[in-house]
Amino acid sequence: MPPAPALLEAHQTEQLKRDRLRTMQWVAVGLLVAAALLFALARSQRASHPAWGYLEAFAEASMVGAIADWFAVVALFRHPLGIPIWHTAIIPNSKDSIGQSLGSFVENHFITEQGIAERIAQADPAELLGAWLRNPLHAQQLGQSSAGIAKQLLSMLNHEQLRELVRSKATDYLGQLNLSSVAADSIDALIADGKPQELLDFVLDKGADYLADESHHAAIGDFALNAFHIENRLVKAGLVLYEARMIRSLQEFVVAVRADPQHPVRARLSGWIADSALHLKNDADWQDTVRQYQRQALASDKVQAMLGEAWDTLVERLQADLDSEQPVLARTIASIAANTGKVLGSDATAKAWLNDTIVAGSSSLVRRYRGEVGAFIESRLALWSKDEMSDRIELAIGRDLQFIRINGTVVGGLAGLLIYAVSHAW
């Protein structure tokens, strides 16, 4: 299997740094060799002309400076020439303390509440988020991605377990619901809106229409006979004779109640309904009866099956939506995202609130996890061997350290030249 692009790029970057380090090391070594050659030449020719003495002093001091700075740089990472001189190989020998110090330094100087808050405030994440969401393409992508994630999650769920959970929670909730209070409040609300009288008017209108239709009269007569369990033929015959008058009287009664808003029947109906609400609120017997019927209904197999099927119904509808070409869920999330972007772009208060919330959240996270940052850095460095740590640090800063050797060679030579010139001037 070929290496991943990121790993290949990291390897190439490391190799480039290593090559550049080696190049600068050879440049520093080259200057030392050049100084040595110059010293040898000047030493051999110093009797021929006084100027060679100056060159000799310059070259000699350059070699001293180059060797001294070579020792100083190398001593950071390893023992010079492999000789375990005291206080050399500083970095590998101080690996653990470096990890602790670096972790503590990052914690105390970088991962601070004020520093993180200032950086977030400068970034204005609410404005960035609003601008991103206002792009129709981004909002659409967010909706589609959310729908795709929802579809994957739906396929991963344990539906049997969730079905039982929904059934159990719904049963518990409905069992704890005070139906007496809910019913009483509903009745009070209906009375306040005049709904009982509207319902009575509707029933009276339908009743009047039914009584006015002669095709229903025979059925009405049969109902009366059956209601009173009349078997005597003479009584039946007499009742049939009075059937039309009875129906006419019912019609007149219905019309009278419908036409008179103050009819006693209306008052009795309103009173009965109001009394029912009061009983539901204050009558323990009524409340116990409601609770008994409530428990019986919830315990029935039919209701339990219905509650269990609620999850299946929800899943089926959601699955059907997610399988469609344009899921409602995706469109809804896209619409919400676009509207959120517009609000963040036009409402300064909303934008400030979101930024403040993010800052407050970041402060909480910093307080809670700042110590983890130092521990993480220390633990990562602990995984490296001494040689690995030394190699990584040298690879990171070693090239710049070679300029110390180069500068030491040049500056040492100039210092030696100056000393030689001053000593001969006296």
Side-chain angles (χ1 to χ4, degrees), residues 52-291:
W52 287 106
Y54 288 92
L55 289 177
E56 179 184 356
F58 174 82
E60 183 179 14
S62 294
M63 289 190 295
V64 173
I67 295 173
D69 287 335
W70 165 82
F71 182 92
V73 170
V74 172
L76 290 173
F77 305 103
R78 61 189 64 85
H79 296 299
L81 302 177
I83 303 173
I85 302 174
W86 177 75
H87 212 64
T88 57
I90 296 173
I91 290 177
N93 289 333
S94 306
K95 183 175 76 73
D96 294 337
S97 61
I98 289 175
Q100 295 173 358
S101 300
L102 180 60
S104 177
F105 180 80
V106 172
E107 282 183 19
N108 296 326
H109 298 282
F110 290 94
I111 312 300
T112 63
E113 294 180 38
Q114 181 179 357
I116 298 296
E118 290 176 354
R119 187 66 186 91
I120 292 176
Q122 293 173 2
D124 194 0
E127 175 60 30
L128 297 176
L129 176 62
W132 191 86
L133 292 176
R134 285 193 295 273
N135 187 321
L137 180 60
H138 293 162
Q140 183 179 3
Q141 290 175 343
L142 181 61
Q144 292 174 347
S145 299
S146 299
I149 293 173
K151 188 174 183 178
Q152 292 180 359
L153 290 176
L154 201 60
S155 64
M156 297 166 58
L157 296 176
N158 186 332
H159 294 284
E160 184 63 32
Q161 185 177 7
L162 288 172
R163 185 185 302 110
E164 177 60 23
L165 178 64
V166 169
R167 186 200 62 76
S168 175
K169 292 297 182 182
T171 300
D172 292 342
Y173 174 77
L174 294 175
Q176 296 171 3
L177 186 64
N178 189 340
L179 286 184
S180 298
S181 177
V182 172
D185 292 340
S186 300
I187 291 173
D188 287 340
L190 291 173
I191 293 174
D193 292 339
K195 296 301 181 182
Q197 295 301 323
E198 292 181 10
L199 178 61
L200 178 59
D201 290 341
F202 175 79
V203 172
L204 291 172
D205 289 338
K206 294 300 181 181
D209 293 340
Y210 185 85
L211 293 171
D213 189 345
E214 294 183 358
S215 64
H216 297 149
H217 289 183
I220 295 172
D222 293 339
F223 174 79
L225 292 174
N226 294 328
F228 291 103
H229 300 287
I230 298 174
E231 301 293 341
N232 189 284
R233 292 183 179 181
L234 291 177
V235 177
K236 286 184 178 181
L239 187 60
V240 170
L241 291 175
Y242 285 94
E243 181 179 284
R245 182 180 295 179
M246 179 186 64
I247 293 175
R248 188 165 53 252
S249 297
L250 283 173
Q251 286 179 301
E252 292 173 355
F253 176 76
V254 169
V255 171
V257 175
R258 180 67 177 86
D260 185 4
Q262 304 301 324
H263 196 280
V265 171
R266 291 181 179 273
R268 284 195 296 272
L269 176 65
S270 297
W272 178 82
I273 294 176
D275 288 343
S276 299
L278 289 174
H279 280 297
L280 288 170
K281 289 180 179 179
N282 304 312
D283 193 321
D285 292 336
W286 278 53
Q287 293 173 353
D288 290 341
T289 301
V290 171
R291 277 195 293 269

Side-chain angles (χ1 to χ4, degrees), residues 154 157 159 162 310-321:
L154 201 60
L157 296 176
H159 294 284
L162 288 172
W311 173 256
D312 295 332
T313 302
L314 174 63
V315 170
E316 288 175 3
R317 293 183 178 180
L318 183 57
Q319 188 67 57
D321 177 58

Side-chain angles (χ1 to χ4, degrees), residues 16-32 70 73 394 397-407 409:
L16 177 61
K17 289 182 178 181
R18 199 174 296 280
D19 293 341
R20 295 176 67 185
L21 171 61
R22 293 291 179 263
T23 299
M24 292 307 302
Q25 286 176 333
W26 280 113
V27 169
V29 171
L31 287 177
L32 174 60
W70 165 82
V73 170
E394 184 177 18
I397 64 173
R399 181 176 182 273
D400 295 325
L401 293 178
Q402 302 311 307
F403 284 97
I404 295 177
R405 296 174 58 186
I406 294 172
N407 292 336
T409 303

Side-chain angles (χ1 to χ4, degrees), residues 385-402:
S385 65
K386 293 182 178 182
D387 292 338
E388 185 178 10
M389 182 174 181
S390 178
D391 181 67
R392 288 179 181 271
I393 295 179
E394 184 177 18
L395 199 60
I397 64 173
R399 181 176 182 273
D400 295 325
L401 293 178
Q402 302 311 307

